Amino acid sequence: MLKDEKEMKTRMHPMTCLGLDKESNKVGNSQYRAMIGSLLYLTSSKPDILFSVGLCVNFQQYPREVHLTVVKRIFRYLIGTSNVGLYFKYNKQFKLISYCDANYAGDKTEKRNTSGSCHILGGNLVTWTSKK
């Protein structure tokens, strides 16, 4: 399907703002959901796509061509970054560092709070969360 497509260096265009688009053509729910399911599976080993996939998940019920274009761009990004992965370096010192952030009503479509955190142990990222 995307074999002949150009690879992408970013997951989403920086100016992309996904929302409920009434004007764009509808796309099939089953195809869109299957693609999202595959991307959600990949987020466990490719955390760099987590935010972009999370945005696309919101439009599973009524996907439009605009949303499908973003999903395809994520796949094209994955094709170009197949050599990128997580690296855990050896460190004798197990120092735990945690970061967290919250954005109140920052979600533009649903006006809900968004929060996230990450935990670094011995210089290695070990857990992260992001939720609405």
Side-chain angles (χ1 to χ4, degrees):
M1 178 172 100
L2 295 171
K3 290 179 184 175
D4 300 329
E5 294 288 330
K6 185 174 81 169
E7 298 173 358
M8 287 291 169
K9 297 193 184 292
T10 59
R11 295 161 293 286
M12 289 178 69
H13 190 276
M15 300 307 288
T16 300
C17 184
L18 289 179
L20 299 173
D21 185 5
K22 303 283 185 184
E23 298 173 13
S24 183
N25 293 333
K26 294 179 182 179
V27 296
N29 284 6
S30 59
Q31 177 193 13
Y32 188 82
R33 287 180 181 174
M35 293 171 87
I36 290 293
S38 298
L39 289 173
L40 285 171
Y41 176 76
L42 288 173
T43 58
S44 62
S45 61
K46 301 279 288 179
D48 54 332
I49 65 170
L50 189 59
F51 180 77
S52 302
V53 173
L55 287 177
C56 295
V57 165
N58 295 324
F59 306 102
Q60 288 187 84
Q61 191 170 5
Y62 302 110
R64 302 287 182 151
E65 281 184 1
V66 174
H67 308 124
L68 185 60
T69 302
V70 173
V71 170
K72 286 182 179 180
R73 183 180 176 115
I74 296 169
F75 277 108
R76 290 167 53 196
Y77 167 78
L78 289 171
I79 291 169
T81 58
S82 61
N83 59 339
V84 177
L86 294 176
Y87 171 72
F88 293 100
K89 62 183 177 181
Y90 176 74
N91 194 342
K92 290 183 181 179
Q93 186 180 24
F94 276 141
K95 183 177 177 183
L96 178 64
I97 302 171
S98 296
Y99 298 100
C100 65
D101 191 19
N103 185 347
Y104 300 104
D107 181 16
K108 297 195 185 324
T109 55
E110 298 177 5
K111 302 291 185 206
R112 295 177 64 188
N113 298 340
T114 306
S115 64
S117 67
C118 67
H119 309 285
I120 301 166
L121 182 62
N124 299 303
L125 178 67
V126 290
T127 63
W128 62 89
T129 60
S130 177
K131 64 180 182 177
K132 262 196 256 187

